[in-house]
Amino acid sequence: MPRPNTEPAVGPDAAIDPVTAVGALKFEVALAELEAIIANMEGGRLPLAESLAAYRRGSELLRHCQQQLADAEHAIQILENGSLRDFEPGSGEAG
């Protein structure tokens, strides 16, 4: 018996999977799903009801990705002793 595919669908023709809780998604997976939703909506391939559902899902994914980025920035601030410094390529600093 074939195993069900547990990987989220990504790509321009991916179906929106509202069953997967947004909070459970890794950043890269959420971003890929968001990009697929945008591609579908920009392509005009979704009926109105599906477009509304896609918009809602996309909004949730966007908030989730923004929160994960903010959390990462906070972690970097902690690692830098409370101050976030600009990255200077080639400065020779290792830490």
Side-chain angles (χ1 to χ4, degrees):
M1 184 161 123
R3 263 183 23 194
N5 186 2
T6 57
E7 292 296 315
V10 292
D13 296 322
I16 299 163
D17 182 14
V19 177
T20 304
V22 171
L25 297 175
K26 291 184 178 183
F27 176 81
E28 295 80 7
V29 174
L31 184 60
E33 184 179 343
L34 180 58
E35 289 172 342
I37 288 171
I38 291 168
N40 280 340
M41 291 182 76
E42 285 179 342
R45 296 183 292 262
L46 297 175
L48 180 59
E50 289 181 34
S51 290
L52 290 172
Y55 182 84
R56 284 188 202 104
R57 177 72 173 183
S59 294
E60 292 174 4
L61 290 164
L62 178 61
R63 280 191 301 274
H64 177 66
C65 288
Q66 288 173 331
Q67 183 61 54
Q68 287 191 330
L69 289 172
D71 292 347
E73 183 175 312
H74 182 71
I76 290 170
Q77 288 175 337
I78 291 170
L79 292 172
E80 292 288 332
N81 296 320
S83 65
L84 186 61
R85 298 180 295 151
D86 289 333
F87 174 72
E88 297 177 23
S91 66
E93 292 182 11

